[in-house]
Amino acid sequence: MTTTSTSTGTSETQPELKKVMGPKLLLLFIIGDILGTGIYALTGQVAAEVGGAAWLPFLVAFVVATITACSYLELVTKYPQAAGAALYAHKAFGIHIVTFLICFTVMSSGITSASAAAGAFASNFAIGFGLGKGPGLALVIALAFMLLIAVVNLRGVAESVGLNVVLTLVELSGLLLVIFISFFAIFGGQADFSRVVAFATPDDKNVFLAISTATSLAFFAMVGFEDSVNMAEETKDATKIFPRTMLTGLGITAVVYVIISIVSVAIVPVGELAGNDTPLVTVVQTAAPDFPISALIPFISLFAVANSALINMMMASRLLYGMSKQGVLPPFLSKVLPKRRTPWAAILFTTVIALGLTAYVSIDPANPIAVLLGGTTSLLLLAVFAVVNVCVLVLRRKTVDHKHFRTPTALPIIGAVACLALVLPWTSGRPAAQYTIAGILLVLGLVLWVITFLHRRSRGYGGPAALDTQALSAVEKGD
């Protein structure tokens, strides 16, 4: 049991989260979070930017992700608490509005990603079971799916991670199936590896901008490793097992992605991949025309998007719980079920938001905003990653009384620059609509912050300075 300090100066006894995750479960959690619908859909779009060298953006994205992961590893082993990037920013800068916006940005990226996954789940479910494509039916399936995710999340992290193991193995087997069938075609002489080194860029982009644009797309397939830090309080001996497990998970997924991108281009001409919404289906159909991939792929995608939604909702709820526990967000979000020991208030809060987003995405899945959700998620998270890399350098001045991972100083500097390059419009090649969506989300976050501030002042809790002092005090006590 622990006494939790809140931003209002009160204290309330809440049980600790249950530590159930060992290295194997954590590894599957990380792999399952990184793998997902991204690789099933992005290969063709990446190829459209760089031609046959589609493997290069995935490799560059892996390098940037690994550098940033090293920064996360130093911080999560130094501060093994559930709040992730928002906690690190709060410890580094102690400015409530900065902490609030980072918390809101990360939470929004998780909920938006999960909501988009719910819409994809409904579409694949309807196709797989031959139920038709009516928007009303898709909405019902998507909302029911999100409620099911909430129930699993409420049951406990052991049940959630247990389901994650099953879903991860299914989606990984789907990608391995694509690789094995492709190898069969390659050994049968159906591949043309000259295409793999054929670099081609759109007429309106130079080589640098084409690679940067493709990397921005590919990076969406690499995100997910950062979610694991929000499970730190539910991990056994987090300081010891996190570094090796996170880097291993990143390495495994990178190998799978690079192999997928190489065999895809070798078997299918780039012109057929470019802009293809289901590139892996095309790869398997070309490699083995008699294989019933059209019937199998919706179910594989079903499991992939279900896993993404589950992990993102787990992340979002734990992030809110962690920041509430530190006194940065309202204290009711730190409520924990006494028997299940799960953060029920944070789970319900994030589920309500997700249901609203799921309804919007499911009603009109062809809406450009829904199409751009993946890119917007990548944009928001890369901005957060840039801040995390800076936090590592700032927090070097603060020491803790236990051993922790330490990344070489050059890496967070390189990571911050690389992440910013993939965020800024003139170096990333992102469409303007992504910045519009991200801007709306940040404005919403600022509005919520102002409402929170006015509410606190009306209750006599003090202004921003008092809020910063109380919240930072709670964080430094390690409550």
Side-chain angles (χ1 to χ4, degrees):
M1 305 287 282
T2 183
T3 300
T4 301
S5 300
T6 69
S7 59
T8 63
T10 63
S11 62
E12 184 175 349
T13 300
Q14 291 289 336
E16 293 284 354
L17 298 183
K18 189 175 182 180
K19 296 183 181 294
V20 298
M21 296 185 71
K24 293 180 181 179
L25 282 179
L26 182 61
L27 178 62
L28 286 172
F29 182 94
I30 293 171
I31 293 175
D33 204 0
I34 298 175
L35 294 178
T37 53
I39 188 61
Y40 286 94
L42 286 179
T43 307
Q45 298 178 38
V46 171
E49 295 292 338
V50 295
W55 53 271
L56 180 59
F58 285 103
L59 190 58
V60 175
F62 164 69
V63 172
V64 176
T66 301
I67 291 173
T68 301
C70 288
S71 294
Y72 268 97
L73 287 174
E74 176 167 336
L75 294 170
V76 74
T77 55
K78 193 174 184 180
Y79 309 109
Q81 294 163 290
L87 171 63
Y88 310 146
H90 195 68
K91 283 183 173 292
F93 308 114
I95 302 174
H96 180 262
I97 189 170
V98 173
T99 304
F100 185 90
L101 284 177
I102 290 178
C103 175
F104 186 82
T105 299
V106 176
M107 183 200 70
S108 296
S109 69
I111 296 177
T112 303
S113 178
S115 300
F121 179 92
S123 298
N124 281 282
F125 187 92
I127 293 173
F129 289 97
L131 301 179
K133 299 182 179 180
L137 176 64
L139 176 58
V140 172
I141 295 173
L143 294 179
F145 169 72
M146 287 307 308
L147 291 174
L148 179 61
I149 291 294
V151 171
V152 174
N153 207 352
L154 284 168
R155 283 283 300 171
V157 71
E159 288 80 1
S160 300
V161 174
L163 180 58
N164 166 250
V165 170
V166 176
L167 298 179
T168 297
L169 293 176
V170 171
E171 63 182 328
L172 182 58
S173 66
L175 294 175
L176 293 177
L177 178 65
V178 174
I179 292 174
F180 290 149
I181 292 177
S182 299
F183 281 172
F184 177 80
I186 290 171
F187 292 138
Q190 299 183 43
D192 181 2
F193 280 97
S194 65
R195 292 196 292 258
V196 176
V197 293
F199 193 92
T201 63
D203 295 335
D204 60 339
K205 294 180 180 178
N206 56 37
V207 173
F208 173 80
L209 191 58
I211 294 176
S212 181
T213 302
T215 301
S216 298
L217 290 171
F219 200 88
F220 177 65
M222 292 301 305
V223 298
F225 66 90
E226 77 285 351
D227 290 347
S228 63
V229 302
N230 295 299
M231 307 302 295
E233 288 191 49
E234 291 161 286
T235 300
K236 303 173 184 176
D237 198 2
T239 300
K240 180 179 179 181
I241 72 172
F242 249 100
R244 180 174 57 191
T245 306
M246 182 182 287
L247 294 178
T248 299
L250 274 168
I252 291 173
T253 53
V255 169
V256 172
Y257 285 176
V258 170
I259 293 176
I260 287 285
S261 59
I262 290 175
V263 299
S264 296
V265 173
I267 293 174
V268 181
V270 175
E272 295 181 29
L273 284 177
N276 192 327
D277 292 334
T278 56
L280 300 190
V281 176
T282 303
V283 170
V284 174
Q285 287 176 337
T286 304
D290 296 329
F291 192 83
I293 189 67
S294 59
L296 183 61
I297 199 66
F299 294 98
I300 295 176
S301 299
L302 202 72
F303 284 105
V305 298
N307 202 27
S308 297
L310 174 62
I311 294 179
N312 274 291
M313 292 306 291
M314 289 174 65
M315 174 276 293
S317 61
R318 268 59 179 185
L319 189 151
L320 284 184
Y321 159 81
M323 293 315 300
S324 176
K325 189 180 177 184
Q326 303 306 329
V328 177
L329 293 179
F332 79 88
L333 290 172
S334 64
K335 300 289 185 179
V336 176
L337 285 175
K339 293 184 178 180
R340 304 305 308 179
R341 295 168 69 181
T342 52
W344 66 267
I347 291 172
L348 293 182
F349 187 82
T350 52
T351 299
V352 169
I353 298 176
L355 289 173
L357 289 173
T358 300
Y360 175 75
V361 173
S362 299
I363 290 173
D364 186 10
N367 191 294
I369 296 178
V371 174
L372 291 170
L373 283 177
T376 305
T377 301
S378 172
L379 171 64
L380 293 171
L381 288 178
L382 280 165
V384 171
F385 292 166
V387 174
V388 169
N389 280 303
V390 173
C391 288
V392 171
L393 301 175
V394 174
L395 291 172
R396 286 280 172 86
R397 299 176 306 206
K398 299 182 180 181
T399 59
V400 294
D401 58 359
H402 63 269
K403 293 182 179 180
H404 60 84
F405 181 88
R406 183 181 175 92
T407 184
T409 304
L411 290 186
I413 297 175
I414 296 172
V417 173
C419 290
L420 283 176
L422 294 173
V423 166
L424 299 176
W426 49 87
T427 53
S428 68
R430 294 176 178 275
Q434 292 185 13
Y435 297 97
T436 300
I437 298 171
I440 292 172
L441 290 172
L442 292 179
V443 168
L444 177 60
L446 286 171
V447 170
L448 291 177
W449 183 84
V450 170
I451 292 174
T452 303
F453 164 67
L454 293 177
H455 173 72
R456 287 179 54 81
R457 190 169 65 174
S458 67
R459 295 293 183 91
Y461 294 150
L467 181 60
D468 293 339
T469 301
Q470 292 166 348
L472 186 58
S473 174
V475 172
E476 291 175 340
K477 289 178 182 178
D479 291 340

